[in-house]
Amino acid sequence: MKKIIDFIDEETAAAFASCGYDAKYAKTTLSNRPDLCEYQCNGALAAAKEYKKAPIQIAEEVAEKLSNHPMFSMAEAVRPGFLNFRISEAYLADYLEKMRQDTKYFGLERTKEPRRIMIDYGGPNVAKPLHIGHLRSAIIGESIKRIGRLMGHEMIGDVHLGDWGLQMGLIITELKERKPDLPYFDENYSGEYPLDAPFTISELEEIYPSASAKSKEDTAYKDLAMQATFELQNGRRGYQALLSHILNVSVTDLKRNYANLNVTFDLWKGESDAQPYIPDMVQKMKDEGYAYISEGALVVDVKEDTDTKEIPPCMILKSDGASLYNTTDLATIVWRMQDYNPDEIIYVVDKRQELYFTQVFRCAKKTKLVGEDTILKFHGFGTMNGKDGKPFKTREGGVMRLEHLVDEINEEMYQKIINNQTQMKDDEARKTAQIVALSAIKYGDLSNQAAKDYIFDIERFTSFEGNTGPYILYTIVRIKSILTKYKELGGSKDDAKILPAKSESEKSLMLELSRFGAAMESAFAETAPHKVCAYIYALSNALNHFYHETKILAEEDKAVQAGYICLLDLTKTILETCIDVLGFQAPERM
Ligand code: ARG
């Protein structure tokens, strides 16, 4: 369904043209003075120059043409040459009714040319617990994926596990010290290895940090770990078997953690999956003359004439021939293109990695790992800070584990809910607290522009008032409760429809509803979930304003009442659709 603003554009373009002016001047925007009008067009001001006429004269001619149009309740020319519009109540009601009949997409214009877009997000490291640095990537990436799907694109999420490198050698070395008799360490062992891992996730999470600490103090230990890494990467059987145990145990735990965040991935590929593609890729870069040796290392130049700052060459292999983070990311592009041939790959990663990705992307383009028209996009996010403005820490000043952060907010929410809902049973209160807490965390993050740092303010984020997730959920819950009461009173909206607005607040709500498609479209086009947040905040405010000004359940005219109910129902489903793309849900009550 076309957007209202597109219909206005069409009508004003026709009016400009029939008055003898170029239709290109007929561009309408949302009014920034809602007290004066709902939409406005400033084209007469620009046209005045070309036609050497007073802008007001042009505006008046155009307004005259539009004044009887059923779309507008007001189309007027205002000095010095603005065109101010108000949408007619009947037209708006009709438009919303059409949205309501589209029970899945509410008039959203989905794409006619679906693109295949891969999203690289999450990026957890195997054997290390998720910390809050991984939270933003998961939340933002998940939302971008869902917005893309709603718009009709094929979105493929890949977690891109950090499962390669010294951390694996460290775990193997420590395990060998603790349990030297395990068959994985016996080079002469040729039988099958046990199916069960020789450690649990809690052991694994303790083994890694202690190994890492030891390696910093003990160079001999570090050498052992490097040797183990080398042997693992060169295919030593026992170590490969240990790697799969580490991966299995870790991934099971990661999946549980991500499920609690309502985050899922289509692909659970990792850095290790890229390794087989490295030798051919490197050979090709050498053969085609892109890669050359500089100070012992193999590099590809990626600087460009228009650069304003120094972009160092992209290093492909270290002087000892070892591969790097870069090499893995490039080889990952190789399999992604080969197996999926995406139109675009979006990387949702900490913005401090921006220069690194500039190098990787340029190198991939230059060495033709991707074609000219494949888009590689870096979507960098800022740091999540504590109230002191420094990166978020535990009370003791340590790195906060994601699980602990979530537990803390669940608890805070639980207290609020049992204070609010004194009759709610404990298990419902716990469940509700989890649902609402997730909205607090996700909305708190997504309502900011991703690239900006933000302050994780638990008190503010969990508040039921203001620009917060719980406020949005509260609005949905409020509508649900009115709809239930209406039904209990015997009301039905079966053959009811949305009627023309009778009050200012009802019309504002209707205008907000009509902007759903525009909000979602721009959120997708600009990879900007915060636009969905801004939209539902405005919509919730409009709903609550309408609710406070209007007697809904006490309305005596049944047709009017049923019309209100249709309007509330549409508001509810649109809010639900929007929070779904943000990656959270609403409870029945709170
Ligand atoms: N594992 C990395 C980290 O924890 C993030 C990976 C980002 N994605 C990528 N393709 N490099 O910092």
Side-chain angles (χ1 to χ4, degrees):
M1 215 166 127
K2 269 192 213 159
K3 298 184 287 294
I4 285 198
I5 202 154
D6 299 331
F7 285 119
I8 303 180
D9 269 347
E10 271 174 28
E11 296 306 326
T12 35
F16 268 84
S18 80
C19 297
Y21 305 115
D22 195 325
K24 73 175 183 210
Y25 292 112
K27 190 83 198 112
T28 308
T29 56
L30 261 187
S31 156
N32 47 21
R33 287 287 304 273
D35 52 325
L36 298 180
C37 60
E38 294 152 1
Y39 290 90
Q40 72 184 60
C41 167
N42 301 344
L45 296 164
K49 296 194 188 82
E50 181 180 336
Y51 297 99
K52 304 203 167 43
K53 268 192 188 175
I56 188 68
Q57 197 185 335
I58 299 179
E60 273 167 356
E61 287 170 43
V62 174
E64 169 68 30
K65 282 268 184 289
L66 293 171
S67 59
N68 290 321
H69 195 287
M71 188 191 293
F72 303 110
S73 61
M74 178 192 91
E76 76 180 8
V78 178
R79 281 187 189 282
F82 300 118
L83 278 160
N84 288 356
F85 303 121
R86 282 185 195 279
I87 302 295
S88 100
E89 282 69 15
Y91 180 89
L92 187 57
D94 192 49
Y95 185 87
L96 292 191
E97 195 47 38
K98 289 197 187 100
M99 280 176 72
R100 199 169 76 92
Q101 277 152 23
D102 175 4
T103 52
K104 200 149 179 218
Y105 299 110
F106 317 104
L108 179 71
E109 275 194 301
R110 301 180 80 221
T111 183
K112 290 180 192 69
E113 288 159 12
R115 298 169 62 232
R116 177 177 284 179
I117 303 174
M118 285 187 96
I119 321 188
D120 179 313
Y121 71 111
N125 300 311
V126 161
K128 297 189 209 171
L130 286 175
H131 60 76
I132 52 163
H134 295 115
L135 181 65
R136 296 212 70 192
S137 182
I139 293 179
I140 299 167
E142 181 71 18
S143 178
I144 294 171
K145 181 182 81 180
R146 290 168 179 240
I147 292 172
R149 285 196 182 147
L150 187 66
M151 292 306 298
H153 296 282
E154 184 189 352
M155 309 296 287
I156 304 172
D158 180 15
V159 71
H160 200 73
L161 285 174
D163 60 357
W164 197 245
L166 187 60
Q167 84 229 47
M168 298 301 161
L170 283 165
I171 295 168
I172 293 172
T173 305
E174 184 57 26
L175 206 61
K176 193 171 176 182
E177 303 243 311
R178 295 184 187 191
K179 304 181 182 175
D181 297 333
L182 288 173
Y184 308 95
F185 304 115
D186 177 358
E187 279 187 271
N188 299 318
Y189 184 79
S190 59
E192 295 280 315
Y193 292 108
L195 288 175
D196 288 331
F199 41 70
T200 63
I201 183 69
S202 355
E203 284 167 318
L204 197 55
E205 286 181 353
E206 178 269 320
I207 291 175
Y208 172 73
S210 70
S212 166
K214 272 194 203 169
S215 76
K216 286 188 185 111
E217 272 150 30
D218 182 345
T219 44
Y221 186 91
K222 182 161 186 199
D223 288 344
L224 285 178
M226 283 177 20
Q227 180 60 25
T229 312
F230 180 82
E231 289 178 35
L232 167 70
Q233 299 188 346
N234 284 283
R236 182 166 161 176
R237 231 180 118 245
Y239 291 3
Q240 298 257 334
L242 276 178
L243 174 68
S244 16
H245 284 313
I246 299 173
L247 277 175
N248 282 338
V249 169
S250 241
V251 166
T252 309
D253 186 61
L254 285 170
K255 284 192 175 158
R256 184 181 57 80
N257 268 285
Y258 281 123
N260 285 338
L261 293 173
N262 202 13
V263 170
T264 53
F265 298 91
D266 304 291
L267 301 178
W268 278 83
K269 298 276 195 181
E271 294 175 350
S272 65
D273 292 293
Q275 305 311 314
Y277 298 87
I278 292 179
D280 283 355
M281 177 185 83
V282 171
Q283 195 55 46
K284 191 170 157 268
M285 287 179 178
K286 283 189 197 159
D287 291 349
E288 290 171 9
Y290 297 117
Y292 67 95
I293 303 287
S294 162
E295 295 168 34
L298 188 72
V299 303
V300 172
D301 278 333
V302 292
K303 62 174 190 289
E304 287 170 7
D305 295 343
T306 48
D307 288 342
T308 49
K309 62 171 194 247
E310 168 92 14
I311 308 284
C314 187
M315 202 192 284
I316 309 295
L317 294 177
K318 288 199 276 193
S319 45
D320 61 2
S323 59
L324 309 102
Y325 188 43
N326 303 29
T327 330
T328 298
D329 260 315
L330 288 163
T332 299
I333 293 179
V334 173
W335 73 250
R336 284 180 178 162
M337 293 313 292
Q338 187 178 299
D339 296 356
Y340 293 91
N341 195 24
D343 300 297
E344 179 169 352
I345 310 176
I346 303 177
Y347 294 76
V348 185
V349 183
D350 191 309
K351 72 177 174 197
R352 285 168 291 189
Q353 294 192 27
E354 179 157 21
L355 172 63
Y356 163 79
F357 276 102
T358 303
Q359 293 173 297
V360 169
F361 293 172
R362 285 187 182 182
C363 182
K365 288 245 144 139
K366 181 171 178 178
T367 62
K368 306 207 164 51
L369 301 184
V370 300
E372 271 309 309
D373 41 7
T374 309
I375 300 170
L376 298 174
K377 177 144 84 202
F378 178 71
H379 194 66
F381 53 81
T383 309
M384 180 172 137
N385 289 324
K387 271 182 164 172
D388 57 359
K390 300 203 188 88
F392 197 88
K393 291 270 158 65
T394 58
R395 286 200 190 87
E396 296 72 39
V399 175
M400 178 72 114
R401 281 179 65 156
L402 191 55
E403 251 175 304
H404 297 163
L405 176 86
V406 174
D407 287 347
E408 205 172 297
I409 297 174
N410 282 347
E411 189 54 36
E412 174 105 10
M413 224 10 125
Y414 172 71
Q415 296 302 337
K416 274 197 188 182
I417 303 233
I418 49 174
N419 283 341
N420 253 14
Q421 291 276 357
T422 41
Q423 310 97 313
M424 199 186 265
K425 290 227 177 68
D426 198 60
D427 57 338
E428 187 188 345
R430 289 270 170 212
K431 267 200 205 108
T432 307
Q434 270 184 25
I435 298 175
V436 184
L438 191 61
S439 81
I441 300 174
K442 289 197 166 184
Y443 191 94
D445 187 304
L446 293 170
S447 54
N448 302 287
Q449 228 169 309
K452 293 203 173 130
D453 298 346
Y454 76 98
I455 292 187
F456 194 85
D457 181 341
I458 299 189
E459 221 167 286
R460 188 168 78 74
F461 288 4
T462 56
S463 167
F464 285 17
E465 279 152 44
N467 191 6
T468 69
Y471 169 69
I472 308 289
L473 297 193
Y474 199 79
T475 307
I476 297 176
V477 166
R478 164 172 276 163
I479 303 176
K480 284 186 179 177
S481 127
I482 303 171
L483 297 180
T484 311
K485 283 191 194 127
Y486 176 72
K487 239 192 184 157
E488 282 167 6
L489 294 172
S492 152
K493 57 176 166 53
D494 283 352
D495 19 53
K497 57 180 198 162
I498 294 176
L499 300 175
K502 280 173 301 305
S503 68
E504 220 23 71
S505 68
E506 187 181 11
K507 186 162 189 200
S508 305
L509 172 61
M510 291 171 78
L511 283 168
E512 284 302 344
L513 283 169
S514 74
R515 290 170 191 150
F516 165 65
M520 199 56 75
E521 256 178 45
S522 71
F524 176 73
E526 296 164 44
T527 332
H530 73 272
K531 299 226 153 169
V532 178
C533 295
Y535 173 68
I536 55 177
Y537 183 49
L539 180 57
S540 297
N541 283 338
L543 181 283
N544 287 311
H545 186 52
F546 168 70
Y547 169 81
H548 288 298
E549 307 252 299
T550 317
K551 286 193 297 232
I552 299 170
L553 292 170
E555 172 60 54
E556 277 162 18
D557 183 327
K558 290 298 157 202
V560 169
Q561 186 181 45
Y564 288 158
I565 294 296
C566 294
L567 194 58
L568 291 190
D569 194 48
L570 179 62
T571 311
K572 177 177 87 89
T573 39
I574 286 189
L575 285 173
E576 285 171 337
T577 304
C578 290
I579 62 172
D580 185 60
V581 301
L582 299 176
F584 57 90
Q585 283 147 12
E588 284 315 304
R589 48 192 187 144
M590 61 194 267

